Amino acid sequence: MAATARGSVWEIQPGDVGAAGLGAADAGAFLAALRSAAATAGPGAAGDAVWAAVAAAGVLRPEHPHALHQLVYYSVYAGWDRATRGPPPYWFPSPIDSRQTNLGRLMEANGPKLLGPAYKDPITSFNLFYKFSVENQEVYWSMVLKQLAVKFQKEPKSILSTSDTSKKGGTWLQGAVLNIAECCLLPCPSLNRTDDSTAIVWRDEGHDDYPVNRMSLKELRSQVITAANALDTMFHKGDPIAIDMPMTCNAVIIYLAIILGGFVVVSIADSFAPLEIGTRMGVSKAKAIFTQDFIIRGGKKVPLYSRVVQGSSSKAVVIPATGDYLGVTLRNGDMSWKDFLCRASGRSPIYSPVYQSVDALTNILFSSGTTGEPKAIPWSQLSPIRCAADTWAHMDVRPQDIFCWPTNLGWVMGPIALYACLLNGATLALYHGSPLGRDFCKFVQDAGVTLLGSVPSLVKSWKAGNCVKGLDWTKIRVLGTTGESSDIDDNLWLTSHTSYKPIVECCGGTELASSYIQGSLLQPQAFGAFSGASMSTGFVILDEQGTPYPDDVPCAGEVGLFPLHFGATNWLLNADHDKVYFGGMPIYNGRQLRRHGDIIQRTVGGYYIVQGRADDTMNLGGIKTSSVEIERVCNRADERLLETAAVSIKPAGGGPEHLAILAVLKDRSAQYDVNLLKSKFQKAIQKNLNPLFKVSHVKVVPEFPRTASNKLLRRVLRDQLKQELSNHSKL
């Protein structure tokens, strides 16, 4: 239970501190230290100044009860008016530390030359430098490329060319030739990376009291070369090869080997049902698939190979989830991981990477749109560079950092995490098991993780299980979150366990290979809000007529991205790229804006808050899916159904979206058990779509609202249901 907040920090009494869980012997000293710290903000100081003083003094410690953190934070900001002041900040950049960040060092070295006398320091001049990066992308990217482990076999003729008008996003690094996987595997003196540097640190679930495992860069390179040699005996250059398994060391090795050898990775999330696996294999024309026999999660063995077999007839290479031997019988034509590696026997340990143009296809990922079929999104070699550059600038990934972000190579965050580490000289930390409980949290401590990423549902699970109690997370210097809307109190809990380190909120898209809005260590951060646009990314917010709002005006509307975006797609495998991303978008400053699909709010104070999707795509547990996909499954759940409509509802207090399904019966006068219908929808979705999607609300209605052209008005249904649930909660 949260302690009751007071009207200000000065109204907190010893009894309040005791009620928040601090013993009587410590309550008096704590309250004295709290008041002393708050007093340094000065008489009548605003909440942000008081909180900055309290946080800097270290009065609140990770081991304190969460109720105590709540009491202080909510009391400090009790009088804060969000309407006139914007979201209250909880973290503030340090004038000293800001100069040591990646971006701060770049600004200190180049700011006076690029910005002239307007340049002051990284914090004061951040907005000026951001604007410079948008208006002078060639200069910005030429500087950033030098910070990364990117080695060209043939240097680019130019950073950006706009002469080819068919490419609305421009032509980037024209003429450049490289192999991005090789860049991940070579020593890099400028990053102090040697063959002996630790490339991956990991632990298997169930071995939580053992030391963590470590793999050097040399060992990683050797294993990638072995896998690449084996691939050469089975496939032709350019063949698409799928990966459908947890993000383990072997998954990383396979991913890099495919690209090193000039093949194409097809990324498939390990949570998909057979039908969804088959769809992605078919769209990508994958020649084979790497998978595991099982997935180990929370001590349970979840079948994976059997789902792959049901979904695809393509050859499978199967890796044991534990030990050296498979726990399944293989289908004729499939192969064990051990037998696969044996194919490399006798081949040279020195491997010649396949060097290709910078726009060569390396990875096919999938993102759901509103058509019902997942969009097949191609990544070139530009995309990994964008991943590394954004995490360098915003997450401040540095050499010798240990970066952990539990995810999967089937989702965009998987490749982002891989490239964020290996192109920045950092160590990738992987937990081979469930990230939901204390065992994962202990791995974060034992591995010495310095940058920890998550999705809000993960944080909620850690908080509910009190999973960090007794653990030391103070080595963490930056936190990250993406995938869905953050819950303010969950993030308060999270950052409190790291002694109030910044949480960098990220929001982007697979087709961008990056975020378009995110936090920065050179700006104050507020819970559940984005402090600005990504470096070099320009956008406007459009009103309902498609007219951009002025840049400094609080507003809400659809995002229109500036089209010149390093790393963004310029084609799709199975859809009209121009129609999907540019069709119907207005012209701004002589260029057609690029569609992203988010509705965002710019607040007072310049923060951004994502309010949902402009189309009917929804975000469930960090996974983007479309209403059409869910409706296609639910329509077949019961023969008495005429049609269904799937919408997502964002809780009033923030947090992940909830899935609601409305149904129209064939017999409008019939009665139907809503709980039974909810159960049928849940089973159908788990079997045919994704077992991670949870149905929260079901309602039977007589008919759906439609436009004159018979298009379903899901937004109207969403608003009606949201109002109904709000009224119900007030009863």
Side-chain angles (χ1 to χ4, degrees):
M1 287 292 291
T4 302
R6 295 301 177 184
S8 78
V9 69
W10 302 105
E11 295 180 21
I12 297 176
Q13 300 299 317
D16 300 321
V17 176
L22 202 62
D26 299 319
F30 172 84
L31 194 56
L34 175 65
R35 289 175 174 170
S36 175
T40 64
D48 53 349
V50 174
W51 178 256
V54 169
V59 177
L60 288 164
R61 299 196 301 271
E63 65 270 21
H64 283 148
H66 180 52
L68 187 62
H69 292 272
Q70 291 175 311
L71 172 67
V72 176
Y73 175 78
Y74 293 119
S75 295
V76 166
Y77 280 119
W80 186 269
D81 185 358
R82 292 177 67 101
T84 59
R85 306 201 64 177
Y90 68 91
W91 181 86
F92 305 86
S94 153
I96 296 174
D97 293 344
S98 66
R99 288 182 165 87
Q100 302 306 313
T101 63
N102 292 329
L103 208 53
R105 286 187 293 103
L106 191 75
M107 291 175 66
E108 286 287 89
N110 298 280
K113 177 179 65 178
L114 299 176
L115 302 178
Y119 182 78
K120 304 300 180 188
D121 59 73
I123 297 174
T124 308
S125 304
F126 174 77
N127 287 333
L128 273 179
F129 191 68
Y130 156 72
K131 187 177 181 182
F132 177 90
S133 76
V134 175
E135 296 174 350
N136 302 272
Q137 296 211 46
E138 298 94 330
V139 178
Y140 176 77
W141 283 102
S142 66
M143 293 188 296
V144 172
L145 284 169
K146 295 173 185 175
Q147 311 299 317
L148 309 175
V150 175
K151 179 184 177 184
F152 295 108
Q153 292 301 306
K154 187 176 179 182
E155 293 288 332
K157 297 175 184 176
S158 63
I159 298 294
L160 170 62
S161 170
T162 57
S163 59
D164 185 350
T165 55
S166 68
K167 293 184 178 180
K168 295 182 178 178
T171 301
W172 294 89
L173 306 187
Q174 190 171 28
V177 174
L178 74 161
N179 184 295
I180 199 65
E182 181 191 45
C183 297
C184 294
L185 298 168
L186 293 178
C188 184
S190 65
L191 298 178
N192 295 318
R193 182 168 73 183
T194 69
D195 271 348
D196 295 328
S197 297
T198 302
I200 302 177
V201 58
W202 83 95
R203 175 181 281 164
D204 294 323
E205 183 177 287
H207 293 73
D208 303 295
D209 292 324
Y210 290 79
V212 296
N213 304 285
R214 299 181 187 278
M215 182 184 295
S216 71
L217 182 69
K218 184 178 181 180
E219 291 168 331
L220 175 62
R221 185 171 65 248
S222 174
Q223 294 194 42
V224 169
I225 287 173
T226 299
N229 271 319
L231 289 169
D232 283 344
T233 69
M234 298 172 62
F235 303 103
H236 296 101
K237 300 302 183 183
D239 279 349
I241 302 169
I243 301 175
D244 184 358
M245 60 185 291
M247 192 167 173
T248 61
C249 291
N250 282 331
V252 171
I253 289 165
I254 295 163
Y255 184 97
L256 291 170
I258 291 172
I259 297 173
L260 190 73
F263 308 101
V264 178
V265 175
V266 178
S267 294
I268 301 177
D270 63 8
S271 60
F272 278 129
L275 180 63
E276 296 300 314
I277 295 172
T279 297
R280 285 154 177 79
M281 291 291 288
V283 169
S284 65
K285 298 180 171 58
K287 303 295 184 183
I289 183 169
F290 284 83
T291 188
Q292 282 185 182
D293 50 2
F294 298 96
I295 300 172
I296 305 299
R297 285 286 185 271
K300 298 179 180 178
K301 293 169 68 176
V302 180
L304 179 56
Y305 173 64
S306 60
R307 275 189 274 140
V308 169
V309 169
Q310 291 177 56
S312 173
S313 60
S314 298
K315 175 185 282 291
V317 179
V318 189
I319 301 164
T322 58
D324 297 324
Y325 300 98
L326 292 172
V328 295
T329 301
L330 296 184
R331 161 182 74 174
N332 286 340
D334 290 345
M335 179 185 295
S336 71
W337 176 240
K338 184 178 180 180
D339 288 344
F340 168 77
L341 293 177
C342 284
R343 297 182 69 94
S345 179
R347 298 176 73 90
S348 172
I350 300 173
Y351 191 84
S352 297
V354 174
Y355 297 114
Q356 303 184 85
S357 67
V358 75
D359 57 0
L361 179 63
T362 62
N363 195 177
I364 299 170
L365 298 104
F366 296 89
S367 177
S368 296
T370 57
T371 62
E373 182 179 60
K375 294 194 298 290
I377 296 175
W379 269 23
S380 69
Q381 299 195 89
L382 289 167
S383 311
I385 297 173
R386 180 77 198 214
C387 297
D390 266 16
T391 49
W392 174 90
H394 291 268
M395 288 285 292
D396 197 45
V397 181
R398 306 179 196 173
Q400 283 74 57
D401 264 325
I402 300 175
F403 183 106
C404 182
W405 199 312
T407 182
N408 187 272
L409 288 169
W411 304 120
V412 68
M413 231 9 264
I416 288 177
L418 187 157
Y419 290 121
C421 292
L422 299 181
L423 293 180
N424 279 307
T427 297
L428 177 62
L430 301 172
Y431 185 72
H432 297 174
S434 170
L436 293 172
R438 181 176 176 82
D439 292 342
F440 170 81
C441 295
K442 184 174 183 294
F443 167 69
V444 171
Q445 169 193 267
D446 295 350
V449 169
T450 57
L451 288 89
L452 176 64
S454 65
V455 294
S457 54
L458 260 184
V459 178
K460 195 173 289 293
S461 175
W462 298 336
K463 177 185 171 190
N466 203 14
C467 295
V468 187
K469 185 177 181 181
L471 299 177
D472 182 0
W473 274 17
T474 56
K475 285 186 179 178
I476 296 171
R477 64 181 188 85
V478 183
L479 295 153
T481 184
T482 191
E484 52 190 308
S485 299
S486 294
D487 180 271
I488 291 173
D489 195 66
D490 289 349
N491 275 4
L492 174 65
W493 176 90
L494 177 64
T495 186
S496 72
H497 281 282
T498 66
S499 295
Y500 287 96
K501 300 306 193 320
I503 304 173
V504 176
E505 298 263 357
C506 310
C507 180
T510 306
E511 74 282 359
L512 300 176
S514 64
S515 299
Y516 72 94
I517 49 174
Q518 54 188 322
S520 169
L521 302 195
L522 301 181
Q523 296 174 295
Q525 299 302 305
F527 292 129
F530 306 83
S531 60
S534 297
M535 294 301 294
S536 83
T537 300
F539 69 85
V540 290
I541 300 177
L542 305 171
D543 65 18
E544 293 183 357
Q545 286 71 45
T547 303
Y549 288 102
D551 288 341
D552 56 351
V553 173
C555 58
E558 183 175 354
V559 172
L561 297 174
F562 291 6
L564 299 179
H565 187 105
F566 187 109
T569 55
N570 57 27
W571 65 289
L572 294 169
L573 272 72
N574 60 342
D576 184 332
H577 187 274
D578 193 69
K579 180 179 179 181
V580 170
Y581 294 115
F582 291 96
M585 293 297 286
I587 304 294
Y588 181 76
N589 286 346
R591 296 188 181 276
Q592 189 171 21
L593 295 172
R594 179 176 179 129
R595 176 179 293 106
H596 178 269
D598 278 350
I599 300 290
I600 66 171
Q601 174 193 9
R602 180 164 52 230
T603 72
V604 174
Y607 291 95
Y608 295 93
I609 297 173
V610 177
Q611 296 190 322
R613 298 289 294 174
D615 54 22
D616 290 314
T617 300
M618 60 184 75
N619 189 322
L620 302 176
I623 301 171
K624 289 181 181 177
T625 189
S626 72
S627 297
V628 175
E629 284 184 299
I630 295 174
E631 291 159 6
R632 171 174 51 82
V633 170
C634 291
N635 285 341
R636 302 194 302 267
D638 191 293
E639 61 182 11
R640 286 170 287 183
L641 290 169
L642 176 66
E643 59 179 340
T644 60
V647 298
S648 62
I649 305 295
K650 189 174 181 180
E657 298 174 23
H658 292 176
L659 172 60
I661 301 173
L662 298 97
V664 175
L665 303 177
K666 293 176 181 176
D667 181 357
R668 310 294 174 90
S669 62
Q671 298 295 312
Y672 200 105
D673 185 341
V674 174
N675 289 326
L676 176 60
L677 189 57
K678 181 179 180 180
S679 175
K680 289 188 174 185
F681 286 153
Q682 188 66 68
K683 289 178 181 177
I685 290 170
Q686 286 182 335
K687 179 181 178 181
N688 299 297
L689 195 56
N690 195 314
L692 300 180
F693 294 168
K694 180 182 178 182
V695 180
S696 297
H697 308 286
V698 169
K699 183 182 181 183
V700 175
V701 296
E703 63 181 5
F704 293 149
R706 296 184 180 276
T707 66
S709 59
N710 208 39
K711 290 182 180 179
L712 180 59
L713 290 169
R714 294 184 184 86
R715 188 175 296 179
V716 174
L717 287 171
R718 185 186 301 115
D719 292 343
Q720 290 174 347
L721 187 59
K722 189 174 181 179
Q723 183 63 49
E724 183 179 321
L725 293 172
S726 175
N727 292 339
H728 182 74
S729 67
K730 295 175 183 177
L731 296 178

